[in-house]
Amino acid sequence: MITGMSTVERLRPLFEAAWGPDTCDPHDLAAWRPGNPSRGQCGPTALVLQDLLGGDLVLGRGHVDGRQVGHHWWNRLPDGAVVDLTADQFRPEETVVGGEVRHRPPGAPGRCRGQYELLGHRVRGPARPPVSGDPVRIAVVALTDSAGRLLLHLRAADAAAEPGQWALPGGHVEPGETPAEAAARELREETGLVADGLRPTWTALRPDLTGAAPCVEVHAFAGRTIATTNGQDARFVREADLPQTDLSPTAAAVLHATWISFGSGSR
């Protein structure tokens, strides 16, 4: 691995261009803004930088007015240089205390795995040669109940994309289906629920990290239901609990773009 601060400075603009709400830790998603792109990016950033340059991960504690409110990750390179690519995310009242080297367990991270993989894809480029053809189309549903809670579905641990994370119900648009029809079908198949009128809210092209298609065309819909579900793989989540939920990058992107009430209540 090539190390040194000159290499870090060449990588810095790649990370800055790669950061977004979909690479942000859900703990900070409501506070992420284009004007502060490094907000909530410390964990995935430190992991990807370690993949590229080696060295150690360092963990500190985030404080506001002397009270711990979270954690902050950064890097120590093999030559001893300390690198914190996301240090400028903090507001004046926020400080970082301490800094302990932490051993990285083998395998994928237990939280924000999709964010880490997406950030690495954007910084390093695709792991596989790009494929030709049409985008894969998927439809997802932001479904709320009468209490305003959001329905999330736990993706399988062996799913090809965003495994083991909480996502919006949805799936592939089959041939001959409209995205709205696919959204209603996937919602019913995954949760047994039916929405009271689905309305389109957002469409975007996103990377396909599986390598099966050149990109993914996401169609997001919103709807309400009076039914409830307490299944192991699907649950309604209060807005206040979303920051502690391991949201998938796609769910985070949809919520940040469309769910106006998320977080502070305004955009």
Side-chain angles (χ1 to χ4, degrees), residues 107-128:
R111 178 180 166 88
C112 295
R113 173 178 174 175
Q115 286 81 349
Y116 155 71
E117 292 176 347
L118 179 59
L119 184 67
H121 171 90
R122 288 174 174 165
V123 170
R124 292 189 297 261
R128 308 174 182 86

Side-chain angles (χ1 to χ4, degrees), residues 161-188:
E162 304 177 339
Q165 291 189 289
W166 288 93
L168 299 175
H172 288 82
V173 179
E174 301 294 345
E177 275 187 321
T178 67
E181 291 169 341
R185 174 182 54 76
E186 290 284 351
L187 177 65
R188 183 175 61 255

Side-chain angles (χ1 to χ4, degrees), residues 55-72:
D56 297 315
L57 298 173
V58 185
L59 178 65
R61 302 181 302 278
H63 281 226
V64 174
D65 298 328
R67 179 174 61 90
Q68 183 174 345
V69 296
H71 294 87
H72 181 61

Side-chain angles (χ1 to χ4, degrees), residues 36-261:
N36 186 6
S38 62
R39 187 73 181 182
Q41 308 287 334
C42 66
T45 296
L47 289 173
V48 173
L49 190 65
Q50 186 188 47
D51 290 343
L52 294 171
L53 301 181
D56 297 315
L57 298 173
V58 185
L59 178 65
R61 302 181 302 278
H63 281 226
V64 174
D65 298 328
R67 179 174 61 90
Q68 183 174 345
V69 296
H71 294 87
H72 181 61
W73 292 94
W74 63 95
N75 300 80
R76 188 175 67 189
L77 301 185
D79 61 7
V82 174
V83 176
D84 188 350
L85 291 180
T86 64
D88 61 355
Q89 68 175 288
F90 297 110
R91 296 184 286 261
E93 69 273 16
E94 297 173 324
T95 58
V96 176
V97 178
E100 301 177 357
V101 171
R102 292 297 178 95
H103 173 69
R104 179 175 177 176
R111 178 180 166 88
C112 295
R113 173 178 174 175
Q115 286 81 349
Y116 155 71
E117 292 176 347
L118 179 59
L119 184 67
H121 171 90
R122 288 174 174 165
V123 170
R124 292 189 297 261
R128 308 174 182 86
V131 299
S132 59
D134 296 326
V136 169
R137 295 198 300 164
I138 67 170
V140 298
V141 182
L143 186 74
T144 52
D145 65 5
S146 57
R149 299 176 303 170
L150 178 71
L151 181 65
L152 294 176
H153 181 262
L154 183 63
R155 293 186 58 77
D158 59 353
E162 304 177 339
Q165 291 189 289
W166 288 93
L168 299 175
H172 288 82
V173 179
E174 301 294 345
E177 275 187 321
T178 67
E181 291 169 341
R185 174 182 54 76
E186 290 284 351
L187 177 65
R188 183 175 61 255
E189 291 177 355
E190 291 185 349
T191 69
L193 297 178
V194 177
D196 182 15
L198 290 177
R199 57 182 178 85
T201 59
W202 188 64
T203 300
L205 294 177
R206 296 184 50 74
D208 179 15
L209 272 61
T210 71
C215 60
V216 178
E217 183 179 286
V218 179
H219 297 263
F221 295 82
R224 288 189 176 275
T225 182
I226 59 173
T228 60
T229 179
N230 295 309
Q232 181 177 359
D233 295 334
R235 68 186 187 192
F236 281 98
V237 179
R238 297 184 309 153
E239 184 176 320
D241 295 330
L242 285 174
Q244 287 73 49
T245 303
D246 189 14
L247 290 172
S248 73
T250 300
V254 172
L255 294 181
H256 190 271
T258 66
W259 207 19
I260 303 303
S261 65

